[in-house]
Amino acid sequence: MPDIEQPTEDTNAAVWKTDVGVTFWKSTEADRERRRAGHRELLAELLPFGPDEAFTFADLGAGTGAASRTVLDHFPLAHAVLADFSPQMMAQGMLELAPYQGRYTYVEFDLTRAGDWPAGIPAPVDAVISSLAVHHLNDGRKQTLFAEVLRQLAPGGWFLNYDPVQPPDAVVEEAWLRAGDRRDPSAADKRAHRTAEEQFRYDNHVRYMVPLDQQVGYLREAGLEGVDVYWKELDYVIYGGRRPRRPL
Ligand SMILES: C[S@@+](CC[C@H](N)C(=O)[O-])C[C@H]1O[C@@H](n2cnc3c(N)ncnc32)[C@H](O)[C@@H]1O
């Protein structure tokens, strides 16, 4: 069993629960989102709903709602419950979600805390997604969170996670860097000359990141079925599975 008492000491709060953190996130968003648009589309396309079906999904670590917006665009009758622990990200998200008024709610949820989910997330919920957030949780918490996802999902409900992963070894890491540096010739220089602030952010970013196989294993151990890596490019992946239709 994972150690759910594992301390939740958290440089994450220093990154995300600050105006500076949100301003930085916004300032780097346009280029990032251009690259990610297709990945987010695929996550939406993997959900098993028709365009005229009403359903509710939870978005864990939803931030300003980039992943939720893509799902809401794909499914006109969907309702999003965006869960996050940062008042600053949620305030910014409410501005950006203005065109979706009535189709979303925000709930405060510190994902480091194991146990019951906030009352604002329906139980059962039709689907759970997460984007660029699970890598901020330590390994014990990833495992307990996946068990909670299974418990919260409706029978047959899907969980999909879009996230960066660690390379499993140095040879793979070298290959990822080689390809990444060809695409962005300034990347190697940026890596070598991080400011103290950038280094803090980077350390926070990779601190709990683990290889893909491990995480896929956690999903299977939690009891999801149809577990697969549905998309992967270098260090970014979409993995997921669904709650079996039979009783647990
Ligand atoms: C990299 S951003 C991703 C935001 C959004 N999901 C997206 O794809 O653009 C990470 C988000 O995870 C949230 N987060 C980090 N740690 C968290 C925690 N312990 N509990 C809840 N949310 C957390 C941050 O506040 C932030 O909104």
PDB file of all heavy atoms in Angstrom, residues 135-151:
ATOM      1  N   HIS A 135       1.759  15.183 -12.247  1.00  0.00           N
ATOM      2  CA  HIS A 135       3.214  15.085 -12.013  1.00  0.00           C
ATOM      3  C   HIS A 135       3.654  15.906 -10.802  1.00  0.00           C
ATOM      4  O   HIS A 135       4.780  15.752 -10.337  1.00  0.00           O
ATOM      5  CB  HIS A 135       4.004  15.498 -13.267  1.00  0.00           C
ATOM      6  CG  HIS A 135       3.941  16.963 -13.589  1.00  0.00           C
ATOM      7  ND1 HIS A 135       2.879  17.541 -14.245  1.00  0.00           N
ATOM      8  CD2 HIS A 135       4.793  17.977 -13.331  1.00  0.00           C
ATOM      9  CE1 HIS A 135       3.093  18.837 -14.383  1.00  0.00           C
ATOM     10  NE2 HIS A 135       4.255  19.128 -13.829  1.00  0.00           N
ATOM     11  N   HIS A 136       2.767  16.758 -10.285  1.00  0.00           N
ATOM     12  CA  HIS A 136       3.101  17.531  -9.080  1.00  0.00           C
ATOM     13  C   HIS A 136       2.864  16.743  -7.790  1.00  0.00           C
ATOM     14  O   HIS A 136       3.146  17.251  -6.702  1.00  0.00           O
ATOM     15  CB  HIS A 136       2.269  18.813  -9.025  1.00  0.00           C
ATOM     16  CG  HIS A 136       2.712  19.861 -10.003  1.00  0.00           C
ATOM     17  ND1 HIS A 136       4.028  20.254 -10.125  1.00  0.00           N
ATOM     18  CD2 HIS A 136       2.021  20.599 -10.908  1.00  0.00           C
ATOM     19  CE1 HIS A 136       4.116  21.192 -11.055  1.00  0.00           C
ATOM     20  NE2 HIS A 136       2.927  21.402 -11.550  1.00  0.00           N
ATOM     21  N   LEU A 137       2.333  15.526  -7.910  1.00  0.00           N
ATOM     22  CA  LEU A 137       2.006  14.740  -6.709  1.00  0.00           C
ATOM     23  C   LEU A 137       3.055  13.666  -6.473  1.00  0.00           C
ATOM     24  O   LEU A 137       3.523  13.027  -7.430  1.00  0.00           O
ATOM     25  CB  LEU A 137       0.633  14.081  -6.883  1.00  0.00           C
ATOM     26  CG  LEU A 137      -0.511  15.053  -7.213  1.00  0.00           C
ATOM     27  CD1 LEU A 137      -1.787  14.283  -7.510  1.00  0.00           C
ATOM     28  CD2 LEU A 137      -0.723  16.044  -6.060  1.00  0.00           C
ATOM     29  N   ASN A 138       3.378  13.425  -5.210  1.00  0.00           N
ATOM     30  CA  ASN A 138       4.361  12.386  -4.937  1.00  0.00           C
ATOM     31  C   ASN A 138       3.765  11.010  -5.275  1.00  0.00           C
ATOM     32  O   ASN A 138       2.553  10.877  -5.495  1.00  0.00           O
ATOM     33  CB  ASN A 138       4.886  12.478  -3.492  1.00  0.00           C
ATOM     34  CG  ASN A 138       3.828  12.139  -2.459  1.00  0.00           C
ATOM     35  OD1 ASN A 138       3.049  11.207  -2.631  1.00  0.00           O
ATOM     36  ND2 ASN A 138       3.805  12.891  -1.373  1.00  0.00           N
ATOM     37  N   ASP A 139       4.628  10.026  -5.327  1.00  0.00           N
ATOM     38  CA  ASP A 139       4.202   8.734  -5.849  1.00  0.00           C
ATOM     39  C   ASP A 139       3.112   8.061  -5.030  1.00  0.00           C
ATOM     40  O   ASP A 139       2.193   7.462  -5.587  1.00  0.00           O
ATOM     41  CB  ASP A 139       5.416   7.814  -5.937  1.00  0.00           C
ATOM     42  CG  ASP A 139       5.796   7.664  -7.376  1.00  0.00           C
ATOM     43  OD1 ASP A 139       5.536   8.605  -8.157  1.00  0.00           O
ATOM     44  OD2 ASP A 139       6.323   6.597  -7.728  1.00  0.00           O
ATOM     45  N   GLY A 140       3.242   8.173  -3.700  1.00  0.00           N
ATOM     46  CA  GLY A 140       2.201   7.594  -2.851  1.00  0.00           C
ATOM     47  C   GLY A 140       0.862   8.221  -3.162  1.00  0.00           C
ATOM     48  O   GLY A 140      -0.166   7.554  -3.253  1.00  0.00           O
ATOM     49  N   ARG A 141       0.884   9.541  -3.362  1.00  0.00           N
ATOM     50  CA  ARG A 141      -0.375  10.235  -3.629  1.00  0.00           C
ATOM     51  C   ARG A 141      -0.907   9.934  -5.034  1.00  0.00           C
ATOM     52  O   ARG A 141      -2.125   9.872  -5.234  1.00  0.00           O
ATOM     53  CB  ARG A 141      -0.181  11.743  -3.418  1.00  0.00           C
ATOM     54  CG  ARG A 141      -1.438  12.550  -3.625  1.00  0.00           C
ATOM     55  CD  ARG A 141      -2.578  12.113  -2.694  1.00  0.00           C
ATOM     56  NE  ARG A 141      -3.838  12.779  -3.026  1.00  0.00           N
ATOM     57  CZ  ARG A 141      -5.022  12.171  -3.083  1.00  0.00           C
ATOM     58  NH1 ARG A 141      -5.135  10.884  -2.803  1.00  0.00           N
ATOM     59  NH2 ARG A 141      -6.102  12.848  -3.382  1.00  0.00           N
ATOM     60  N   LYS A 142      -0.002   9.757  -6.000  1.00  0.00           N
ATOM     61  CA  LYS A 142      -0.503   9.356  -7.332  1.00  0.00           C
ATOM     62  C   LYS A 142      -1.332   8.078  -7.177  1.00  0.00           C
ATOM     63  O   LYS A 142      -2.415   7.939  -7.742  1.00  0.00           O
ATOM     64  CB  LYS A 142       0.661   9.082  -8.290  1.00  0.00           C
ATOM     65  CG  LYS A 142       1.378  10.321  -8.816  1.00  0.00           C
ATOM     66  CD  LYS A 142       2.375   9.932  -9.901  1.00  0.00           C
ATOM     67  CE  LYS A 142       3.308  11.064 -10.288  1.00  0.00           C
ATOM     68  NZ  LYS A 142       4.444  11.294  -9.387  1.00  0.00           N
ATOM     69  N   GLN A 143      -0.798   7.148  -6.386  1.00  0.00           N
ATOM     70  CA  GLN A 143      -1.487   5.847  -6.250  1.00  0.00           C
ATOM     71  C   GLN A 143      -2.828   5.986  -5.543  1.00  0.00           C
ATOM     72  O   GLN A 143      -3.832   5.419  -5.983  1.00  0.00           O
ATOM     73  CB  GLN A 143      -0.584   4.870  -5.515  1.00  0.00           C
ATOM     74  CG  GLN A 143       0.634   4.491  -6.340  1.00  0.00           C
ATOM     75  CD  GLN A 143       1.656   3.741  -5.514  1.00  0.00           C
ATOM     76  OE1 GLN A 143       1.510   2.563  -5.241  1.00  0.00           O
ATOM     77  NE2 GLN A 143       2.703   4.423  -5.094  1.00  0.00           N
ATOM     78  N   THR A 144      -2.853   6.752  -4.447  1.00  0.00           N
ATOM     79  CA  THR A 144      -4.139   6.886  -3.740  1.00  0.00           C
ATOM     80  C   THR A 144      -5.123   7.694  -4.585  1.00  0.00           C
ATOM     81  O   THR A 144      -6.320   7.411  -4.593  1.00  0.00           O
ATOM     82  CB  THR A 144      -3.980   7.541  -2.355  1.00  0.00           C
ATOM     83  OG1 THR A 144      -3.280   8.778  -2.493  1.00  0.00           O
ATOM     84  CG2 THR A 144      -3.233   6.639  -1.399  1.00  0.00           C
ATOM     85  N   LEU A 145      -4.598   8.677  -5.341  1.00  0.00           N
ATOM     86  CA  LEU A 145      -5.501   9.472  -6.192  1.00  0.00           C
ATOM     87  C   LEU A 145      -6.149   8.589  -7.251  1.00  0.00           C
ATOM     88  O   LEU A 145      -7.358   8.692  -7.508  1.00  0.00           O
ATOM     89  CB  LEU A 145      -4.743  10.614  -6.870  1.00  0.00           C
ATOM     90  CG  LEU A 145      -5.628  11.508  -7.739  1.00  0.00           C
ATOM     91  CD1 LEU A 145      -6.569  12.360  -6.885  1.00  0.00           C
ATOM     92  CD2 LEU A 145      -4.810  12.422  -8.644  1.00  0.00           C
ATOM     93  N   PHE A 146      -5.371   7.710  -7.865  1.00  0.00           N
ATOM     94  CA  PHE A 146      -5.942   6.847  -8.903  1.00  0.00           C
ATOM     95  C   PHE A 146      -7.023   5.929  -8.302  1.00  0.00           C
ATOM     96  O   PHE A 146      -8.047   5.658  -8.938  1.00  0.00           O
ATOM     97  CB  PHE A 146      -4.859   6.039  -9.604  1.00  0.00           C
ATOM     98  CG  PHE A 146      -3.909   6.878 -10.450  1.00  0.00           C
ATOM     99  CD1 PHE A 146      -2.754   6.314 -10.989  1.00  0.00           C
ATOM    100  CD2 PHE A 146      -4.170   8.214 -10.709  1.00  0.00           C
ATOM    101  CE1 PHE A 146      -1.888   7.081 -11.769  1.00  0.00           C
ATOM    102  CE2 PHE A 146      -3.299   8.989 -11.488  1.00  0.00           C
ATOM    103  CZ  PHE A 146      -2.159   8.413 -12.015  1.00  0.00           C
ATOM    104  N   ALA A 147      -6.798   5.467  -7.078  1.00  0.00           N
ATOM    105  CA  ALA A 147      -7.826   4.644  -6.418  1.00  0.00           C
ATOM    106  C   ALA A 147      -9.081   5.488  -6.176  1.00  0.00           C
ATOM    107  O   ALA A 147     -10.212   5.009  -6.335  1.00  0.00           O
ATOM    108  CB  ALA A 147      -7.289   4.081  -5.106  1.00  0.00           C
ATOM    109  N   GLU A 148      -8.890   6.754  -5.800  1.00  0.00           N
ATOM    110  CA  GLU A 148     -10.042   7.636  -5.572  1.00  0.00           C
ATOM    111  C   GLU A 148     -10.779   7.931  -6.883  1.00  0.00           C
ATOM    112  O   GLU A 148     -12.006   8.031  -6.910  1.00  0.00           O
ATOM    113  CB  GLU A 148      -9.582   8.949  -4.921  1.00  0.00           C
ATOM    114  CG  GLU A 148      -9.118   8.756  -3.493  1.00  0.00           C
ATOM    115  CD  GLU A 148      -8.349   9.961  -2.950  1.00  0.00           C
ATOM    116  OE1 GLU A 148      -8.417  11.060  -3.551  1.00  0.00           O
ATOM    117  OE2 GLU A 148      -7.661   9.808  -1.928  1.00  0.00           O
ATOM    118  N   VAL A 149     -10.007   8.083  -7.979  1.00  0.00           N
ATOM    119  CA  VAL A 149     -10.626   8.314  -9.290  1.00  0.00           C
ATOM    120  C   VAL A 149     -11.554   7.146  -9.611  1.00  0.00           C
ATOM    121  O   VAL A 149     -12.712   7.331 -10.008  1.00  0.00           O
ATOM    122  CB  VAL A 149      -9.540   8.469 -10.385  1.00  0.00           C
ATOM    123  CG1 VAL A 149     -10.153   8.346 -11.786  1.00  0.00           C
ATOM    124  CG2 VAL A 149      -8.814   9.799 -10.240  1.00  0.00           C
ATOM    125  N   LEU A 150     -11.054   5.931  -9.414  1.00  0.00           N
ATOM    126  CA  LEU A 150     -11.868   4.736  -9.705  1.00  0.00           C
ATOM    127  C   LEU A 150     -13.156   4.762  -8.886  1.00  0.00           C
ATOM    128  O   LEU A 150     -14.248   4.516  -9.402  1.00  0.00           O
ATOM    129  CB  LEU A 150     -11.070   3.466  -9.391  1.00  0.00           C
ATOM    130  CG  LEU A 150     -11.840   2.184  -9.668  1.00  0.00           C
ATOM    131  CD1 LEU A 150     -11.767   1.834 -11.147  1.00  0.00           C
ATOM    132  CD2 LEU A 150     -11.317   1.026  -8.829  1.00  0.00           C
ATOM    133  N   ARG A 151     -13.021   5.098  -7.607  1.00  0.00           N
ATOM    134  CA  ARG A 151     -14.175   5.097  -6.704  1.00  0.00           C
ATOM    135  C   ARG A 151     -15.201   6.162  -7.125  1.00  0.00           C
ATOM    136  O   ARG A 151     -16.407   5.950  -7.034  1.00  0.00           O
ATOM    137  CB  ARG A 151     -13.664   5.395  -5.292  1.00  0.00           C
ATOM    138  CG  ARG A 151     -14.634   5.081  -4.186  1.00  0.00           C
ATOM    139  CD  ARG A 151     -14.027   5.429  -2.849  1.00  0.00           C
ATOM    140  NE  ARG A 151     -13.774   6.851  -2.711  1.00  0.00           N
ATOM    141  CZ  ARG A 151     -12.827   7.398  -1.957  1.00  0.00           C
ATOM    142  NH1 ARG A 151     -12.003   6.637  -1.272  1.00  0.00           N
ATOM    143  NH2 ARG A 151     -12.679   8.699  -1.880  1.00  0.00           N
TER     144      ARG A 151
END
